[in-house]
């Protein structure tokens, strides 16, 4: 049984990294927390071209200024819990303690310095928070370090932190490719479990690696701009990382799609990924927007909350914020179940998600409900779905609002016709349920949707027989036509 309660207490996390300082305020300590404020300042604390072993002086001033601003905002937001986490740059710098003391003195914020193995563990938990049964290898590249974690069915098996951060490699080796490759291979040689017999996926975390995905999206006119859970087969990503690793700053700036502050170190990040993929013999790369912050949040949750499905929890929050009668979803799912029993668990999960958010377009103009709802789901930044499943869910919701929904470039590129047909079926079943019940909880339990041979039957208790009408009959007939069968409505006396 799904629960529909959320904790309203807001939480803030400040991530002090080698390249950036970022504040994220989450809407509460929930299974699928939504960021309500997200701001990043590219400070370059770990940029140390002279090899002094200290934090970058200019970066320190930028970081202190950013942290003062963040502290002021957090006081205005009345945030009761603020966690400040510092990673590779601060932990490795000889003046890291001095920086933390200055932050405390000037902002009142208490900095917690995370060691490499703990950073790896938390980033691994960030991936697990999105997929509790994940199996693969997570790589989280920052400015100063690379964390690697072996995940098996949602459990952390191995972890390591290596000094292969993109900014460090750029500062130490510049464009000396032979020395750079020797350094990368030397450290990867120390991780024997990279060569798993199965061709595991690489879960890629970190801004530099996400920049590779953004570059691909911009260059290939990819139909979804959301990087999270974007998947690329090894053949494509291996070629792409090799090409990027050989580009100059000027060449990357001409390409576009990449932050100018990352262009210097992006070839180094690409080279690390290229060699890592070769070691793993990875079948694919899955880019993730989750990482240390999400892992930190996930670990703080009670076990009962951690055990909930993140997709369904996100949809419940989405429905609660957007729908007229958001309690209707699970009832609608049970009502449609008899005609979709023989489907795999992933499709059942997606149908439940679609039932939960099946009313999100109610207050849009009728002519635009299908299109607006489709776009809202495709572009929703916090859905933990593969891009194929994301588009399928969006296509289902679009079909719920019109009998002839066609989707757009995303559905044309990512969904085959059989998958689109399933989405249309789900959408039309949800459309029928909402038409019959008006979206109100308590009506559908007095109705049955039955597939009897080649006839789709809608059976109503006589007590609610007056809910039958021309529109109900039309939508039942449309659903039956899609199922390649006849339709019939029966009014019966309740037993």
């Amino acid at each position: 049984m799904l629960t529909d309660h959320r904790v309203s207490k807001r939480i803030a996390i400040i991530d002090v990294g080698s390249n950036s300082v970022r504040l994220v305020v989450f809407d509460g300590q929930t299974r699928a927390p939504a960021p309500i404020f997200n701001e990043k300042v590219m400070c370059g604390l770990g940029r140390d071209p002279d090899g002094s072993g200290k934090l970058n002086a200019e970066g320190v001033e930028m970081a202190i200024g950013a942290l003062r601003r963040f502290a002021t905002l957090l006081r205005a937001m009345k945030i009761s819990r603020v966690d400040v986490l510092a990673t590779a740059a601060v932990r490795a710098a000889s003046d890291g303690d001095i920086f933390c003391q200055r932050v405390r003195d000037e902002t009142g914020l208490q900095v917690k310095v995370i060691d490499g193995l703990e950073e790896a563990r938390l980033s691994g938990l960030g991936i697990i928070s999105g997929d509790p049964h994940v199996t693969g290898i997570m790589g989280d590249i920052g400015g100063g370090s690379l964390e690697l974690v072996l995940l098996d069915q949602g459990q952390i098996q191995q972890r390591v932190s290596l000094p292969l951060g993109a900014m460090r490699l750029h500062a130490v080796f510049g464009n000396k490719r032979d020395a750079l490759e020797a350094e990368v291979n030397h450290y990867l040689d120390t991780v024997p479990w990279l060569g798993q017999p199965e061709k595991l996926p690489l879960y890629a975390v970190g801004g530099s690696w996400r920049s590779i995905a953004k570059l691909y999206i911009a260059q290939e006119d990819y139909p979804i701009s959301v990087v999270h859970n974007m998947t690329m087969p090894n053949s494509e990503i291996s070629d792409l990382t090799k090409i990027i690793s050989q580009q100059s700053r000027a060449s990357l700036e001409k390409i576009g799609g990449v932050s100018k502050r990352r262009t210097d170190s992006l070839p180094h990040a690409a080279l690390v990924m290229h060699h890592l993929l070769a070691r793993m013999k990875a079948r694919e790369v899955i880019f993730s927007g989750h990482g240390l912050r999400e892992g930190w949040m996930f670990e703080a949750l009670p076990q009962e909350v951690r055990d909930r499905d993140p997709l369904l929890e996100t949809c419940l929050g989405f429905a609660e914020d957007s729908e007229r009668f958001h309690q209707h979803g699970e009832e609608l799912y049970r009502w449609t179940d008899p005609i979709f029993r023989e489907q795999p668990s992933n499709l059942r999960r997606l149908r439940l998600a679609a039932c939960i958010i099946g009313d999100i377009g109610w207050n849009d103009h009728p002519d635009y409900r299908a299109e607006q709802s489709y776009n809202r789901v495709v572009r929703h930044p916090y859905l933990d779905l593969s891009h194929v499943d994301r588009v399928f869910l969006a296509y289902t919701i679009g079909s719920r609002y019109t009998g002839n929904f066609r989707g757009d470039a995303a559905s044309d590129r990512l969904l085959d016709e059989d998958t689109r047909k399933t989405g249309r079926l789900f959408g039309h079943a949800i459309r029928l349920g909402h038409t019959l019940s008006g979206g109100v909880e308590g009506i559908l339990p007095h109705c049955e949707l039955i597939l009897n041979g080649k006839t789709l039957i809608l059976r109503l208790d006589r007590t609610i027989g007056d809910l039958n009408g021309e529109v109900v009959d039309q939508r039942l007939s449309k659903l039956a036509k899609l199922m390649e069968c006849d339709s019939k409505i029966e009014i019966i006396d309740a037993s």
Side-chain angles (χ1 to χ4, degrees):
M1 188 77 170
L2 291 173
T3 53
D4 188 15
H5 60 275
R6 293 148 65 85
V7 181
S8 62
K9 190 175 181 181
R10 293 172 175 176
I11 296 173
I13 298 178
I14 299 175
D15 183 356
V16 182
S18 300
N19 205 21
S20 65
V21 175
R22 182 190 292 269
L23 164 64
V24 182
V25 179
F26 293 95
D27 64 351
Q29 198 169 349
T30 69
R31 181 61 181 86
I36 60 172
F37 183 86
N38 189 332
E39 183 171 305
K40 174 180 68 176
V41 180
M42 302 293 285
C43 301
L45 277 173
R47 187 172 285 111
D48 182 19
D50 301 324
S52 68
K54 294 184 176 182
L55 295 171
N56 181 277
E58 182 182 351
V60 167
E61 297 308 316
M62 288 183 67
I64 294 293
L67 291 168
R68 283 201 201 99
R69 167 176 161 76
F70 292 165
T72 302
L73 286 172
L74 291 169
R75 285 192 293 271
M77 293 178 187
K78 297 180 172 56
I79 305 297
S80 59
R81 174 177 169 180
V82 180
D83 295 322
V84 185
L85 310 178
T87 52
V90 175
R91 70 172 174 253
S94 60
D95 57 348
D97 289 343
I98 296 172
F99 171 79
C100 292
Q101 182 63 51
R102 186 177 167 191
V103 171
R104 186 162 53 250
D105 292 343
E106 296 190 27
T107 71
L109 297 170
Q110 183 77 32
V111 180
K112 178 178 177 60
V113 180
I114 305 293
D115 68 39
L117 288 179
E118 178 67 355
E119 184 178 356
R121 188 183 71 84
L122 290 170
S123 293
L125 284 177
I127 299 297
I128 293 168
S129 73
D131 181 356
H133 307 292
V134 61
T135 294
I137 292 177
M138 182 224 70
D140 183 355
I141 194 166
S145 64
L146 168 69
E147 280 65 52
L148 297 170
V149 179
L150 177 62
L151 301 164
D152 183 22
Q153 289 297 309
Q155 299 296 317
I156 294 175
Q157 301 297 328
Q158 302 280 354
R159 55 193 165 116
V160 67
S161 180
L162 305 174
L164 295 178
M167 186 186 297
R168 174 188 170 272
L169 293 175
H170 173 258
V172 175
F173 297 100
N175 297 321
K176 299 173 183 176
R177 190 176 180 89
D178 289 345
L180 174 60
E181 293 200 73
E183 178 84 348
V184 172
N185 285 321
H186 166 72
Y187 280 105
L188 293 182
D189 282 343
T190 66
V191 190
W193 45 266
L194 287 178
Q196 294 294 308
E198 309 89 358
K199 293 183 178 181
L200 298 177
L202 169 65
Y203 287 84
V205 177
S208 293
W209 281 353
R210 284 193 292 271
S211 291
I212 295 174
K214 290 176 183 177
L215 189 151
Y216 175 83
I217 288 169
Q219 292 304 299
E220 298 297 321
D221 197 25
Y222 187 76
I224 300 178
S225 60
V226 178
V227 170
H228 184 53
N229 278 340
M230 175 181 167
T231 301
M232 291 182 66
N234 188 316
S235 57
E236 286 189 52
I237 188 65
S238 182
D239 289 345
L240 179 60
T241 52
K242 183 176 181 179
I243 292 170
I244 294 173
S245 73
Q246 298 169 341
Q247 301 302 304
S248 66
R249 177 188 179 96
S251 297
L252 290 172
E253 286 180 343
K254 289 178 183 176
I255 293 173
V258 179
S259 166
K260 289 186 177 180
R261 287 186 173 268
R262 293 200 187 274
T263 50
D264 282 336
S265 58
L266 186 60
H268 304 76
L271 184 72
V272 173
M273 179 180 280
H274 184 77
H275 283 279
L276 179 58
L277 290 171
R279 295 299 179 95
M280 290 175 55
K281 296 182 174 60
R283 67 173 182 263
E284 61 191 10
V285 172
I286 302 169
F287 292 92
S288 178
H290 289 186
L292 180 145
R293 291 182 298 274
E294 289 73 20
W296 182 269
M297 288 283 291
F298 183 66
E299 187 170 49
L301 296 174
Q303 188 62 48
E304 181 271 330
V305 179
R306 291 169 68 174
D307 288 341
R308 298 177 193 164
D309 186 305
L311 168 64
L312 301 182
E313 288 292 301
T314 300
C315 288
L316 282 169
F318 200 3
E320 184 177 353
D321 294 339
S322 307
E323 298 186 2
R324 296 167 294 181
F325 311 110
H326 66 272
Q327 305 92 341
H328 187 236
E330 191 174 358
E331 188 177 272
L332 182 56
Y333 171 77
R334 289 194 298 267
W335 181 75
T336 59
D337 214 34
I339 63 172
F340 297 121
R341 287 190 188 280
E342 304 303 319
Q343 292 181 323
S345 59
N346 185 51
L347 275 179
R348 296 177 68 85
R349 176 176 180 251
L350 289 171
R351 178 164 53 86
L352 176 53
C355 288
I356 292 170
I357 62 172
D359 196 34
I360 60 170
W362 72 272
N363 61 348
D364 292 325
H365 188 283
D367 292 347
Y368 299 103
R369 281 176 185 160
E371 178 184 352
Q372 297 279 49
S373 299
Y374 174 88
N375 288 332
R376 203 171 299 166
V377 176
V378 163
R379 296 167 183 168
H380 193 289
Y382 315 123
L383 286 175
D384 267 307
L385 286 171
S386 71
H387 280 196
V388 171
D389 286 348
R390 173 186 287 269
V391 175
F392 173 82
L393 181 59
Y395 188 82
T396 297
I397 298 302
S399 299
R400 171 261 184 273
Y401 281 109
T402 181
N404 301 297
F405 187 67
R406 297 185 181 277
D408 68 358
S411 62
D412 287 342
R413 183 164 175 172
L414 298 181
L415 302 184
D416 59 33
E417 184 51 41
D418 286 343
T419 306
R420 272 194 287 270
K421 181 178 179 180
T422 301
R424 282 194 293 270
L425 285 171
F426 285 1
H428 280 271
I430 294 169
R431 182 173 171 85
L432 173 62
H434 273 280
T435 299
L436 179 62
S437 66
V440 179
E441 190 177 20
I443 290 177
L444 292 181
H446 300 282
C447 317
E448 288 184 280
L449 198 57
I450 304 164
L451 182 59
N452 186 358
K454 296 293 290 183
T455 304
L456 180 64
I457 302 170
L458 174 60
R459 186 172 291 162
L460 309 177
D461 285 358
R462 194 171 300 279
T463 56
I464 59 166
D466 288 342
L467 291 177
N468 184 27
E470 182 181 2
V471 178
V472 171
D473 184 61
Q474 287 175 350
R475 293 188 175 169
L476 176 67
S477 177
K478 178 66 174 180
L479 176 60
K481 184 177 180 180
L482 287 172
M483 298 176 69
E484 299 178 352
C485 62
D486 298 322
S487 62
K488 183 170 69 170
I489 295 176
E490 295 180 350
I491 308 295
I492 64 169
D493 292 316
S495 57

